[in-house]
Amino acid sequence: SECNAAIFDAMYERGENVSLVDTLVKIGTERLGLSTCEADDLKVYLENNVGARDVMKDIQSGRRKYQIQGVPFFVIGAVDGGESLGQPYGFSGAQDSSTFVDIFEELAGKLA
């Protein structure tokens, strides 16, 4: 998404600390076009951990669904028009790049 791309760019291209609320609000206003009112709402949301419960639910769901026990953990699947194409791959630990290439090639075949 555009939001993910903006955060990725800020963190890895510009070296910004995206764990800071003010940095995230700045990304929202400068890169994503949030209004002053929306930026204020975002700041309150982040400072008060409003979404923390939902994030923890998602983490617990992922742990159960994919038997996640550590990081890094990767879930890779094929999606076509919002429709999942089969069971995604889930694997943990550092992987050789050939592992990813093999999975991407197999998934690309499902889209063909």
Side-chain angles (χ1 to χ4, degrees):
S1 74
E2 184 180 355
C3 180
N4 289 342
I7 292 171
F8 184 92
D9 180 67
M11 184 172 179
Y12 293 109
E13 298 295 325
R14 299 186 203 173
E16 296 182 42
N17 185 348
V18 297
S19 69
L20 300 175
V21 169
D22 288 337
T23 300
L24 293 172
V25 172
K26 179 180 151 192
I27 292 168
T29 55
E30 293 179 3
R31 296 285 308 276
L32 303 172
L34 294 182
S35 68
T36 302
C37 181
E38 291 169 322
D40 290 343
D41 289 346
L42 176 59
K43 186 170 186 161
V44 168
Y45 181 90
L46 294 171
E47 287 178 338
N48 292 294
N49 292 318
V50 174
R53 179 175 286 158
D54 291 334
V55 169
M56 291 308 297
K57 283 181 184 178
D58 288 346
I59 289 170
Q60 294 303 322
S61 173
R63 284 182 177 160
R64 282 190 305 276
K65 185 174 182 177
Y66 299 106
Q67 292 86 43
I68 297 172
Q69 297 179 2
V71 293
F73 192 90
F74 304 93
V75 177
I76 302 173
V79 178
D80 186 15
E83 191 76 23
S84 178
L85 301 176
Q87 184 71 19
Y89 292 89
F91 52 94
S92 64
Q95 301 289 324
D96 188 77
S97 60
S98 65
T99 301
F100 291 94
V101 171
D102 291 344
I103 291 171
F104 293 147
E105 287 174 347
E106 184 174 329
L107 293 173
K110 291 182 179 183
L111 295 172

